[in-house]
């Protein structure tokens, strides 16, 4: 696969590019190139509703009524809900319990207890909505394609006049999408630019608190339909205004250069010089004893880095990144029915959001790499696989490169069963 392959191959999922562009346009009021150059990972960006393509807002993605549906009728369990009050999390035992007859669980969200907490001023955090709410499943997939990063989506419901969390920073970039009500945001510059996931704000609580006392870089009230982009590390706090507030937070799990370092160090175990033991009796507490070993180790590491295979690093990054961005859901019953009824006239489409690679695997085999498995296929299937995964709907009988419909049906059944394609 090359960088010029159609959407779906290598690092580009099978989602129409116009769909991805539309998802990003809902979040930023500037052109993608300007957002990438001036804001991405650098500075906040406020986009007012009247600057965005859908000034009606974000209620089509998630609304207060949708939140009530989740909290009351969907059998929600931890950890898909958190509750915070006065800057601290409320223990889940105060708002969960048994699910009743036929549900032998002890951590189901109890709507009566949620009401008690919310009416008392607590903020409700609905987590993982990119896995549980249909409109946000699709939106997160499309936005993730536009950004080239895996996403997570949470919703924050805060009663009037309340604040769920004290000033803090996140270790991932976020889009804040104000759905309902108004919320006052105070944004301060980072105390630690570009923090890694292992560098949460709690380890710098004093610096965060001190910086939060100074002048804000951005002091705004978000109204319905407004959007705010915050790079990781920027300090923020938010307080609901005269009415309750609902906003979505889209968390962007950035892949960093430190991720490259981590994968390089994992591969460095292949080098014998770097695996060798320190000399017998080395006093590791003595800098003079450690210095020559450190010098030799740095030299060995430098030599190894000059020989490293970029494809090996890319393979490890793929294993890290692809499972974090699931493709579109499939319907198991409908998929099984399509398998049973498959014939040459059936039309199949690529599974939206599916990341894949098709690479040689020997003289007469190819390997189709997916986010969670690798499928071994005859090399003669390559043109048909590409036709299935890079285009729109295609008739099984029109798949190229295979001698007859019997072979086409065998391949189509295999890819249906592996959930790489879906009925058109």
């Amino acid at each position: 696969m090359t960088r010029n392959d159609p959407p779906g191959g290598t690092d580009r999922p099978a989602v129409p590019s116009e769909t991805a562009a539309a998802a990003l346009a809902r979040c930023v009021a500037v052109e993608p190139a300007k957002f990438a150059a001036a804001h991405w990972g650098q500075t906040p960006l406020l986009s007012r509703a009247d600057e965005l393509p859908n000034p009606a807002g974000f209620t089509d993605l998630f609304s207060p009524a949708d939140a009530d549906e989740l909290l009351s009728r969907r059998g929600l369990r931890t950890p898909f809900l958190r509750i915070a009050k006065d800057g601290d999390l409320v223990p889940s035992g105060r708002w969960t319990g048994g699910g009743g007859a036929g549900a032998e669980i002890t951590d189901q969200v109890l709507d009566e207890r949620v009401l008690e907490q919310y009416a008392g001023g607590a903020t409700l955090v609905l987590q993982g909505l990119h896995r549980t709410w249909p409109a946000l499943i699709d939106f997160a997939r499309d936005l993730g394609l536009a950004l080239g990063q895996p996403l997570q989506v949470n919703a924050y419901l805060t009663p009037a006049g309340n604040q769920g969390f004290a000033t803090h920073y996140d270790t991932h970039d976020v889009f804040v999408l104000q759905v309902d009500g108004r919320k006052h945001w105070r944004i301060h510059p980072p105390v630690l630019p570009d923090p890694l996931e292992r560098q949460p704000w709690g380890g710098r609580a004093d610096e965060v608190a001190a910086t939060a006392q100074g002048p804000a870089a951005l002091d705004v009230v978000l109204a319905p339909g407004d959007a705010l982009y915050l790079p990781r590390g920027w300090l923020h706090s938010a307080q609901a205004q005269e009415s309750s507030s609902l906003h979505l937070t889209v968390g962007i799990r950035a892949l960093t250069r430190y991720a490259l370092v981590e994968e390089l160090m994992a591969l460095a175990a292949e080098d014998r010089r770097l695996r060798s033991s320190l000399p017998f009796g080395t006093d590791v507490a003595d800098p003079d004893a450690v210095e020559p070993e450190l010098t030799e180790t740095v030299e060995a590491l430098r030599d190894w880095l000059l020989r490293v295979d970029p494809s090996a690093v890319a393979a490890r990054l793929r294993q890290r990144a692809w499972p974090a961005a699931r493709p579109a859901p499939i319907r198991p019953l409908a998929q099984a029915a399509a398998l049973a009824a498959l014939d040459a006239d059936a039309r199949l489409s690529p599974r939206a959001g599916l990341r894949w690679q098709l690479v040689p695997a020997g003289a007469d085999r190819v390997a189709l790499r997916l986010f969670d498995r690798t499928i071994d296929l005859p090399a003669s299937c390559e043109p048909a696989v590409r036709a299935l995964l890079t285009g729109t709907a295609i008739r099984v009988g029109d798949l190229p490169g295979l001698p007859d419909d019997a072979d086409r049906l065998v391949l189509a059944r295999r890819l249906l069963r592996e959930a790489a394609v879906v009925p058109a």
Side-chain angles (χ1 to χ4, degrees):
M1 301 296 294
T2 70
R3 293 294 298 183
N4 296 318
D5 288 319
T10 309
D11 60 351
R12 285 183 274 179
V15 176
S17 57
E18 61 272 15
T19 308
L24 179 59
R26 296 195 68 173
C27 302
V28 297
V30 297
E31 292 297 317
K34 182 175 181 180
F35 173 69
H39 297 283
W40 176 250
Q42 301 175 62
T43 59
L45 174 64
L46 173 65
S47 301
R48 293 297 189 184
D50 59 4
E51 301 174 301
L52 296 171
N54 188 1
F58 304 105
T59 53
D60 61 315
L61 299 178
F62 196 70
S63 69
D66 296 334
D68 263 343
E69 172 75 13
L70 268 179
L71 292 165
S72 62
R73 300 174 65 89
R74 296 296 184 96
L76 203 65
R77 301 175 63 186
T78 56
F80 287 102
L81 176 67
R82 288 188 303 161
I83 297 181
K85 187 175 182 182
D86 300 326
D88 295 316
L89 291 176
V90 178
S92 60
R94 297 183 188 176
W95 43 268
T96 60
E104 307 303 326
I105 56 176
T106 60
D107 66 343
Q108 186 160 327
V109 171
L110 301 179
D111 40 17
E112 309 93 339
R113 298 290 176 256
V114 171
L115 168 61
E116 179 182 3
Q117 294 293 332
Y118 185 69
T123 289
L124 311 181
V125 186
L126 289 162
Q127 302 192 127
L129 292 174
H130 61 293
R131 296 287 293 130
T132 60
W133 197 254
L136 288 173
I137 291 171
D138 296 339
F139 177 72
R141 183 190 67 238
D142 296 347
L143 183 58
L145 171 62
L147 299 173
Q149 305 284 354
L151 307 179
Q152 63 188 53
V153 183
N154 297 342
Y156 291 76
L157 299 106
T158 305
N162 284 272
Q163 176 177 321
F165 296 93
T167 300
H168 65 284
Y169 65 75
D170 295 318
T171 58
H172 50 265
D173 294 19
V174 299
F175 288 113
V176 176
L177 310 179
Q178 188 68 27
V179 177
D180 187 64
R182 290 156 41 90
K183 207 162 194 181
H184 180 200
W185 287 76
R186 287 178 54 82
I187 313 299
H188 293 82
V191 298
L192 177 69
D194 300 326
L196 302 172
E197 288 190 12
R198 64 178 64 182
Q199 298 171 314
W201 75 275
R204 292 172 170 78
D206 291 342
E207 292 176 80
V208 168
T211 302
Q213 298 302 313
L218 192 61
D219 191 324
V220 296
V221 174
L222 295 189
D226 292 344
L228 175 65
Y229 166 71
L230 291 178
R232 58 195 166 107
W234 281 74
L235 310 186
H236 55 276
S237 62
Q239 184 171 28
Q241 297 298 283
E242 66 279 355
S243 63
S244 60
S245 165
L246 166 59
H247 77 263
L248 297 171
T249 292
V250 181
I252 307 156
R253 309 298 291 272
L255 283 174
T256 66
R257 286 181 174 171
Y258 191 75
L260 289 174
V261 172
E262 290 176 322
E263 301 306 342
L264 284 168
M265 291 301 96
L267 288 168
E270 299 172 2
D271 190 289
R272 183 174 180 179
R273 288 176 67 188
L274 293 170
R275 296 198 311 268
S276 63
S277 301
L278 297 178
F280 178 81
T282 299
D283 182 357
V284 295
D286 180 1
D288 291 335
V290 170
E291 191 276 333
E293 298 306 316
L294 181 61
T295 299
E296 186 171 341
T297 300
V298 169
E299 180 182 347
L301 181 60
R302 184 184 298 113
D303 292 344
W304 180 84
L305 289 173
L306 292 173
R307 304 190 310 271
V308 70
D309 180 4
S311 64
V313 179
R316 293 186 65 90
L317 288 173
R318 172 176 58 82
Q319 294 168 3
R320 175 193 289 232
W322 282 16
R326 287 185 58 85
I330 61 164
R331 300 176 180 270
L333 302 187
Q335 196 89 349
L339 269 168
L342 193 70
D343 60 25
D345 289 324
R347 297 177 66 81
L348 302 177
S349 298
R351 182 179 179 183
L354 183 72
R355 295 182 182 274
W356 58 274
Q357 279 185 324
L358 194 60
V359 296
D364 58 353
R365 310 294 293 180
V366 293
L368 176 60
R369 295 172 178 165
L370 305 179
F371 71 100
D372 62 346
R373 73 195 78 180
T374 297
I375 303 169
D376 180 68
L377 297 167
S380 58
C381 293
E382 181 173 350
V385 172
R386 291 188 184 278
L388 280 164
L389 296 183
T390 60
T392 54
I394 186 171
R395 179 177 172 271
V396 172
D398 294 333
L399 292 175
L402 295 173
D404 52 42
D405 283 350
D407 285 345
R408 297 183 183 99
L409 285 166
V410 169
L411 175 64
R413 288 193 184 97
R414 178 74 185 278
L415 295 186
L416 270 170
R417 189 176 299 111
E418 299 283 1
V421 296
V422 296

